[in-house]
Amino acid sequence: MSSTTHSKELRRLALSVLQPGFVGTEAPDWVLRAIGDGLSSVVLFARNIVSAEQVARLTSQLRAENPSLIIAIDEEAGDVTRLESATGATRPGNFALGTVDDVELTEAVAHDLGRQLRAAGVSLDYAPSVDVNSNPDNPIIGVRSFGADPARVARHATAWVQGLQSAGVAACAKHFPGHGDVAVDSHHGLPSYDASPDEIAAQALPPFRAAVAAGVGAVMSGHLLVPAYDPDLPATLSPRILGDLLRKELGFDGLIVTDAIEMGAVADRYGLGGATVRAVAAGADAVCVGGENAEEATTALLVEALTGAASRGELTAERLAEAADRVRTFADWSHQLGRTLPVDPVHGDIGFVAARRALRLRGAVDTALPLTAPPHVVELVPSTNLAIGNETPWGVAAPLRERLPGTTFVRLPHRQLADRPAVLPDHALAPAAGRPLVVVVRDAARHAWMGRALADLTAARPDAIVVEMGLPGDSLPGAVQIFTHGATAASGVAAAEALAGGPAGRAA
């Protein structure tokens, strides 16, 4: 083999293990050229999506270059949504489904999502999150988890995987070996999961074992340090975790894909190229990139890093070829998965059914609800992590105004409260004089400023109705509370219905 031929083959192998994102609602020329040169996967984000019809045209344009192209998306059908980032998800997320704890419902919701994704041309969904949210202060998982009980998370992981894949779209269990018991967001820093092997086996691994047993097509590695297995390297870069634990102990033989390689937990320490090379060398088969770095130059940089490392012997050609072969096998399997099933219509109502069933009410509900007059709604707005799009709307005021005309509202972020101490009296309490007050919060127990504002509001108005759209915190003595277990559009509608006298949830 000549050096030129060898170089071309290395470049083709390097392209085949990347899963890049791009900018635009049509495929850029550089992406189409790269597919011709060996690129086997792309990832869609909210910036690529305007409508279902547009996404279908985009995926058809991409697949014209390669019918087996892996088209991935990070669509959890909850607070983390790409398909419905502009409107909010019409299906509740994992925590709501875990709260209901009906595996048939979870499977039905995932199947419904799978039909929508398949109709749009998507073949791989970076979901479900099967992390066990055992640390309530976790800044990145929260309502993305089915809950804090490993057994509950495991049974819903099974149902979600089966539901999605039965609709013709490959599932991806994440974030291995478990991102639930950490207190650092890996977008910004390196979390550490400081548990013993026995604790990890009992707490974090059961959902991954369940997903593997259910035939999950892919597993996504997490950017976290797990000293019990590797005190030096994050899981994404660790042969002990990807090879010994996931491949050998759990017996997973599908596609290992990394979490976004530009995240601070790995990129800040090793650079984009260095992290990519280390991930593939450690046993990852595909490298996700492009949530933040979506330019042609990024893909070129990673190709250069991989081919250079292979030429220097830092990454064996055999490992790179093995990764490329797994990608090719997965591409063929996922392509056939979508071809062998009939395309059923998306019903569009199962998400609202699930959101209503996830609603929990606490306090003197019978005397406080339904509201007898249009309320003033105060929504306390936290900063969200990078997994959740800032553009994604959430809350209760908008759907409540549709049901109770005359409803007014104000949205108050932390900075506004900090900069203007009179905001609560002037914009929350004064407009609610003589009428009902509804206070909407999101993870109030995790945000001290939000907890203080909520305490001030309920002290001034003990009759206020509190809607918690994140993880439930402590009870508020005497207050009527509504828990949605997620901040999706479907959850907001369910809460609005309960306030206005429509379908309601169970007492907590």
Side-chain angles (χ1 to χ4, degrees), residues 148-238:
D149 173 41
R152 180 177 298 208
V153 177
R155 59 179 174 265
H156 287 278
T158 296
W160 216 98
V161 168
Q162 291 175 338
L164 189 77
Q165 294 191 167
S166 69
V169 175
C172 177
K174 63 185 185 186
H175 306 79
F176 189 81
H179 213 302
D181 193 14
V182 301
V184 173
D185 182 348
S186 50
H187 288 92
H188 306 297
L190 179 62
S192 185
Y193 180 19
D194 299 316
S196 70
D198 288 345
E199 290 169 331
I200 294 169
Q203 180 189 64
L205 294 184
F208 287 99
R209 291 187 185 278
V212 170
V216 70
V219 170
M220 177 177 281
S221 63
H223 301 328
L224 69 160
L225 201 65
V226 189
Y229 288 98
D230 193 327
D232 302 313
L233 293 171
T236 293
L237 314 182
S238 172

Side-chain angles (χ1 to χ4, degrees), residues 21 23 45 47 186-188 260-264 289-295 298 386:
V23 176
F45 292 92
R47 61 175 177 248
S186 50
H187 288 92
H188 306 297
I261 206 68
E262 66 260 57
M263 289 166 63
V289 66
E292 300 169 66
N293 299 71
E295 306 81 14
T298 299
L386 287 177

